[in-house]
Amino acid sequence: MKSITEYLTFNTKTRIAFVNLTPQIRQLVKKSAIKEGLCLVNAMHISASVFINDNESGLHKDYARWLEKLAPHEPIDQYDHNKTGEDNADAHLKRQIMGREIVVAITNGELDFGPWEQIFYGEFDGMRPKRVLVKIIGE
């Protein structure tokens, strides 16, 4: 069995952002030369997410609006976590909703997606460097 591990770093210009990782992940699958296996993509920060969905800008706006309704950033004093000097309790909650990681099958050397599926990095407390782990295993 072969494996490859890579780290991607993101520093978004805004507090909340969605970044399509699919082109980068496809390049890593190609680099790995693995024909049959699995690709794990993991947000390595507790206020960021990795998820799969459609690459449609309206949907991304809907996500941002929906998440803000579920866990509004302000007022920041509504959260016990923020009483520790932080101001990002909402980002932790948003991450919990959107998920930590995804796993995609690799078939014939390609990501084996359903129609319209893409891999996204979700940032909920941005404007600082954060990492994403990509681990590909297989034959």
Side-chain angles (χ1 to χ4, degrees):
M1 179 167 326
K2 298 185 290 185
S3 71
I4 181 174
T5 302
E6 298 276 343
Y7 297 91
L8 308 175
T9 301
F10 297 94
N11 189 347
T12 61
K13 294 178 183 175
T14 57
R15 189 168 186 283
I16 295 178
F18 300 109
V19 179
N20 189 337
L21 302 181
T22 309
Q24 292 167 284
I25 304 303
R26 281 190 169 124
Q27 285 296 102
L28 292 174
V29 169
K30 184 177 180 179
K31 176 182 175 181
S32 76
I34 290 171
K35 298 299 179 197
E36 300 293 324
L38 297 172
C39 176
L40 167 78
V41 185
N42 176 350
M44 297 183 72
H45 203 282
I46 55 177
S47 60
S49 175
V50 173
F51 62 95
I52 294 177
N53 214 305
D54 192 358
N55 187 21
E56 196 277 310
S57 62
L59 179 61
H60 300 170
K61 290 177 187 174
D62 292 341
Y63 269 141
R65 191 170 37 251
W66 175 67
L67 289 167
E68 192 60 24
K69 285 180 185 175
L70 291 173
H73 177 62
E74 294 180 337
I76 61 172
D77 64 357
Q78 70 183 306
Y79 299 106
D80 288 338
H81 173 69
N82 290 346
K83 294 174 185 169
T84 66
E86 299 284 340
D87 70 350
N88 65 353
D90 67 298
H92 292 273
L93 298 172
K94 289 168 178 151
R95 188 271 184 118
Q96 195 67 33
I97 292 165
M98 297 302 289
R100 175 180 187 254
E101 64 195 11
I102 58 92
V103 176
V104 178
I106 298 169
T107 304
N108 296 322
E110 301 283 335
L111 294 169
D112 204 346
F113 282 138
W116 310 111
E117 288 187 329
Q118 302 276 309
I119 302 169
F120 292 92
Y121 170 73
E123 176 59 74
F124 309 115
D125 187 26
M127 302 183 289
R128 58 194 167 114
K130 294 185 185 174
R131 291 187 312 155
V132 170
L133 165 72
V134 180
K135 184 170 285 285
I136 303 167
I137 61 171
E139 297 295 328

